[in-house]
Amino acid sequence: MASVAPRLSAIGSGAALELRGVTRMFGALAALTDITITVRPGERRAVLGSNGAGKTTLFNCVTGDFLPTSGTIRFFGEDITRFPPYERIRRGLRRTYQISALFPGLTVQDNVYLACRGVSRGRFSLLRPGANDALMHAAETLIQAVYLTPARDQRVSELAHGQQRQLEIALALAGAPRFILFDEPAAGLSPTERRELIEILTSLPSHIGYIIIEHDMDVALRVVESVTMMHNGRVFKEGLPEEIQSDPEVQELYLGGGHE
Ligand SMILES: Nc1ncnc2c1ncn2[C@@H]1O[C@H](COP(=O)(O)OP(=O)(O)O)[C@@H](O)[C@H]1O
Ligand SMILES: [Mg+2]
């Protein structure tokens, strides 16, 4: 019977991501209090909330950048609560940062190639014939998926802000992710760049689920099927995009100055 328990716990609820009672303290400050959220495989969810609501801290707990003070986090059934970040990446979890993590002196192609190479360690051996071609091909496909083919040989430092954000998405897509956390990908984008971002997100392969933190409700509600609204570190409301948009309490929170 010893083998039954781990097998059952690996099956879990069938969710892609499941947080149960997650609390994160910073000294006396509760950045997250008793967060319970379930996201199905392939589901796309927005997390909304005013500045300081706990959205980025939620991402940090899921990625392992911070550990929760209490509560559990499961990724495709597996308890990852205390896993280091690279173990979560290995299992197909990715994130983009509010602040860019690109190599500014390298070209678009080099950045994407290095990301593909970084996540492929052990899967393709670079000593194997053709491995490098496979990585180059994977990089090209990702560059195309984020509309950066015309800029592939430009250095990151020469790219427009919107193109840098597109490149960050390409890096998150390297190595067959199953789930991506996008932290305010539309921040600082022009209206045209926002439309492009919406297209990129809506044309991602359907098995890839994500959570998007986004202040721009028009962007967020167009690219998701469900919404979690946070307030003061707690889940304030969950629902369909149209329910959240027309909810009087949400409108009051959003229009009432709590939102920057
Ligand atoms: N590393 C940290 N150390 C101390 N306090 C933090 C840290 N990160 C976030 N906080 C605090 O936790 C709360 C939630 O922050 P955050 O998750 O960044 O909110 P959001 O992303 O919704 O704006 C805020 O009060 C913030 O000041
Ligand atoms: Mg934030």
Side-chain angles (χ1 to χ4, degrees):
M1 289 308 280
S3 65
V4 172
R7 234 183 330 126
L8 280 182
S9 69
I11 293 165
S13 63
L17 184 66
E18 186 179 23
L19 285 83
R20 276 182 181 269
V22 170
T23 293
R24 168 70 204 205
M25 305 297 295
F26 290 112
L29 174 88
L32 298 175
T33 304
D34 196 22
I35 300 282
T36 293
I37 291 177
T38 305
V39 186
R40 297 186 322 275
E43 183 178 342
R44 288 147 188 218
R45 167 85 53 108
V47 171
L48 304 179
S50 49
N51 207 15
K55 305 179 300 295
T56 298
T57 303
L58 177 80
F59 274 16
N60 284 329
C61 286
V62 173
T63 57
D65 289 80
F66 298 156
L67 293 180
T69 307
S70 58
T72 58
I73 302 173
R74 287 176 176 276
F75 188 61
F76 289 91
E78 188 176 17
D79 187 338
I80 61 162
T81 315
R82 313 235 142 234
F83 280 16
Y86 71 88
E87 285 292 349
R88 307 181 195 216
I89 292 168
R90 242 164 56 97
R91 284 161 175 77
L93 181 69
R94 301 284 186 276
R95 83 177 292 178
T96 65
Y97 285 87
Q98 227 172 325
I99 296 156
S100 165
L102 301 166
F103 292 111
L106 298 184
T107 65
V108 166
Q109 194 187 26
D110 291 340
N111 270 275
V112 180
Y113 171 81
L114 287 175
C116 290
R117 199 175 126 165
V119 292
S120 75
R121 239 176 317 159
R123 245 188 316 136
F124 306 104
S125 161
L126 281 178
L127 300 174
R128 206 189 66 197
N132 205 46
D133 290 348
L135 287 175
M136 291 297 270
H137 179 72
E140 278 316 311
T141 307
L142 293 183
I143 290 168
Q144 210 175 347
V146 299
Y147 306 132
L148 283 178
T149 307
R152 62 197 281 280
D153 297 320
Q154 272 176 262
R155 285 175 203 279
V156 167
S157 54
E158 299 161 355
L159 296 178
H161 175 71
Q163 292 176 309
Q164 294 196 10
R165 313 258 21 193
Q166 283 162 243
L167 178 54
E168 282 161 29
I169 296 177
L171 301 191
L173 288 170
R178 292 196 279 179
F179 202 86
I180 307 178
L181 305 167
F182 293 108
D183 199 346
E184 296 197 39
L189 298 191
S190 69
T192 311
E193 290 168 339
R194 272 164 206 249
R195 279 195 294 277
E196 243 166 31
L197 173 68
I198 291 170
E199 266 176 56
I200 291 169
L201 294 177
T202 50
S203 52
L204 290 179
S206 63
H207 71 276
I208 301 180
Y210 58 73
I211 299 180
I212 178 172
I213 296 175
E214 189 46 68
H215 277 307
D216 184 334
M217 274 238 223
D218 289 337
V219 172
L221 299 183
R222 226 173 278 187
V223 298
V224 300
E225 59 215 89
S226 58
V227 181
T228 297
M229 178 89 194
M230 288 178 67
H231 188 56
N232 288 338
R234 292 176 185 270
V235 172
F236 176 70
K237 211 148 255 190
E238 282 192 311
L240 300 172
E242 51 275 24
E243 290 169 348
I244 294 295
Q245 201 165 21
S246 60
D247 186 286
E249 284 185 308
V250 169
Q251 283 177 358
E252 197 180 307
L253 260 188
Y254 247 68
L255 305 172
H259 180 68
E260 87 267 40

